[in-house]
Amino acid sequence: MDEAAVVERVKSLEIETPSWGYGNSGTRFHVYPWPGAARDVHERIADAALVHRLTGCCPSVALHIPWDAVDDYGALRALAQEQGIRIGAINPNLFGDDAYRLGSLCHPDTGVRAAAIRHCLQCVEIAKEVGSSLVSLWLPDGTNYPGQDDLRARHARLTEGLEKVYSALPPGMRLLVEYKFFEPAFYATDLPDWGTAALVCRRLGPQAQVLVDTGHHPQGTNIEQIVAVLLAEGLLGGFHFNNRKYADDDLIVGSVDPFELFRIMREIALGDSAGVAFMIDQSHNVEGKIDAMIQSVMNIQTAYAKALLVDEGRLTEAQAAGDVLGAHRTLLEAFETDVRPLLARVRTEVGVAPDPVEAFRAGGHAARLADERGTASVESAYERT
Ligand code: LRH
Ligand code: MN
């Protein structure tokens, strides 16, 4: 693909940022407060809008309920629009309640399951009110010991619960089903992998698709192959981009393994990714929240631009000829291309600075926000409501 075509493709890439990535967050060990970090949903939307103004490619922000709950969602929708962005995926929270000790949709108790379904249905209503077409569902459900519960019974509860949520979706709204191989459950997770998520989505119907969180796989998993298969099956609904070295570390995407991100974005570059939601899901425990988010956006654009530069003709020839190394080197050539000038051109053409992180820092935003907001006292990330 020539440079002009790559520039157009990169310009059309929209990346959704997570409201929860702008607040103070940490681990169970400690949450280190960051001066000027967003303290409520209004400041989280303001920060997402700033990221859009500086990058030109983040027109929507994902919300998490009840962390971002308000009385008037119409007003919240207007607030976002006033700042030049829209509200994106609505994420139910089926882990922040004492009742969910033994699970939510998969809980042995019908009352707890009913409460979990009610929360998901409330999120469908919120999505309608804010004009969102996505409900993005992750289940922490699972068990910690063999024998703790019946695995097949839990699967039956899962599909029964999801069917009730699915049946409430208005036309045009999608349910994204996010899997994760462990944590907080440490023996069996009810939605552990892409296969289970794909089976469940097929059972539910065309408005259900799989969400791939890049931090939710066992070490050594070939994530780009999962992406390729889900794309081929029309089941890829979206991504939660982040990176990890060990477990679900939620680090800046592309910061640990940029070659993996390149390989994932290549499957996107090759496939029909219309309708795929490109979302970030990270927590910035020791670094500034806004410039970390901007760097994440830049890393995704970098991987995508390099992926689009693969000489597909030469690659196809080498693959057909069984020239294994030749084929691999064709890919490496694109990965080793310095795309910073190309991305500077993209940003100039959409009216933003060639290096948005530099623009954030030179713009004095961090000092301004620290002044305006001070340093919020923090409680652990998952207690924030
Ligand atoms: C679970 C997860 C999920 C979110 C949460 C913030 O690990 O990836 O997508 O609800 O992080
Ligand atoms: Mn996620």
Side-chain angles (χ1 to χ4, degrees):
M1 194 182 291
D2 67 18
E3 177 165 324
V6 172
V7 166
E8 287 317 305
R9 286 282 295 271
V10 175
K11 279 160 77 173
S12 67
L13 179 69
E14 293 188 342
I15 299 164
E16 181 162 302
T17 66
S19 66
W20 57 93
Y22 294 108
N24 284 312
S25 59
T27 69
R28 58 187 159 174
F29 302 106
H30 195 66
V31 175
Y32 301 96
W34 188 267
R39 299 163 294 180
D40 59 37
V41 64
H42 303 100
E43 293 181 351
R44 294 190 279 269
I45 288 177
D47 292 355
L50 174 58
V51 168
H52 182 46
R53 288 198 299 279
L54 291 171
T55 62
C57 63
C58 299
S60 61
V61 60
L63 300 185
H64 220 293
I65 307 297
W67 293 342
D68 299 317
V70 292
D71 301 333
D72 184 342
Y73 285 100
L76 197 69
R77 177 180 187 169
L79 173 96
Q81 272 159 355
E82 277 154 30
Q83 302 190 44
I85 61 173
R86 65 179 191 275
I87 294 175
I90 301 300
N91 291 254
N93 182 322
L94 294 177
F95 48 90
D97 193 300
D98 298 351
Y100 297 146
R101 177 171 65 87
L102 302 175
S104 61
L105 296 182
C106 306
H107 196 290
D109 178 87
T110 49
V112 174
R113 297 203 298 272
I117 291 167
R118 272 199 304 278
H119 174 61
C120 293
L121 297 179
Q122 189 208 0
C123 288
V124 171
E125 291 313 308
I126 291 169
K128 289 180 194 168
E129 286 180 67
V130 298
S132 171
S133 64
L134 284 179
V135 170
S136 185
L137 184 60
W138 170 67
L139 287 188
D141 291 35
T143 58
N144 275 6
Y145 299 95
Q148 174 185 330
D149 199 349
D150 181 276
L151 297 174
R152 232 159 309 160
R154 291 183 72 90
H155 185 71
R157 297 166 201 154
L158 172 70
T159 51
E160 186 197 332
L162 288 175
E163 272 155 6
K164 291 202 174 97
V165 178
Y166 185 86
S167 61
L169 297 177
M173 188 178 290
R174 285 182 292 156
L175 176 67
L176 299 188
V177 176
E178 181 178 1
Y179 59 88
K180 181 177 180 178
F181 78 114
F182 92 108
E183 191 207 35
F186 295 104
Y187 165 64
T189 292
D190 296 297
L191 256 176
D193 54 31
W194 72 275
T196 309
L199 285 172
V200 164
C201 288
R202 274 266 191 271
R203 173 196 280 252
L204 293 172
Q207 289 175 258
Q209 291 181 306
V210 179
L211 187 147
V212 176
D213 184 311
T214 49
H216 287 187
H217 307 83
Q219 290 283 348
T221 299
N222 187 324
I223 300 174
E224 62 269 25
Q225 187 176 22
I226 294 171
V227 170
V229 171
L230 291 173
L231 272 173
E233 296 292 332
L235 280 170
L236 180 66
F239 286 96
H240 271 181
F241 282 121
N242 50 63
N243 215 173
R244 54 74 174 273
K245 184 147 183 55
Y246 303 105
D248 188 17
D249 310 344
D250 282 339
L251 299 171
I252 290 174
V253 58
S255 63
V256 174
D257 188 347
F259 190 45
E260 177 188 58
L261 182 60
F262 162 80
R263 300 193 309 267
I264 291 170
M265 291 311 284
R266 186 152 183 284
E267 295 307 325
I268 294 296
L270 281 176
D272 166 13
S273 59
V276 172
F278 298 98
M279 303 178 283
I280 291 171
D281 175 9
Q282 291 170 191
S283 60
H284 306 118
N285 302 342
V286 295
E287 72 271 33
K289 324 302 171 181
I290 298 174
D291 37 357
M293 198 70 79
I294 296 172
Q295 185 62 55
S296 306
V297 170
M298 295 171 68
N299 289 357
I300 297 168
Q301 290 179 312
T302 298
Y304 192 42
K306 290 182 178 203
L308 291 164
L309 284 171
V310 172
D311 182 334
E312 297 302 338
R314 192 147 48 89
L315 182 64
T316 309
E317 265 167 40
Q319 290 169 341
D323 176 4
V324 173
L325 189 58
H328 179 55
R329 283 168 55 82
T330 307
L331 219 64
L332 282 184
E333 197 180 298
F335 178 65
E336 288 159 0
T337 302
D338 179 356
V339 292
R340 287 174 292 184
L342 182 152
L343 292 176
R345 175 179 163 186
V346 167
R347 294 175 185 130
T348 305
E349 290 187 12
V350 298
V352 302
D355 181 340
V357 166
E358 202 37 54
F360 172 81
R361 293 184 165 204
H365 296 284
R368 170 179 60 80
L369 292 169
D371 252 11
E372 287 168 11
R373 299 172 181 175
T375 304
S377 66
V378 289
E379 66 280 316
S380 99
Y382 290 140
E383 278 146 12
R384 184 179 315 112
T385 53

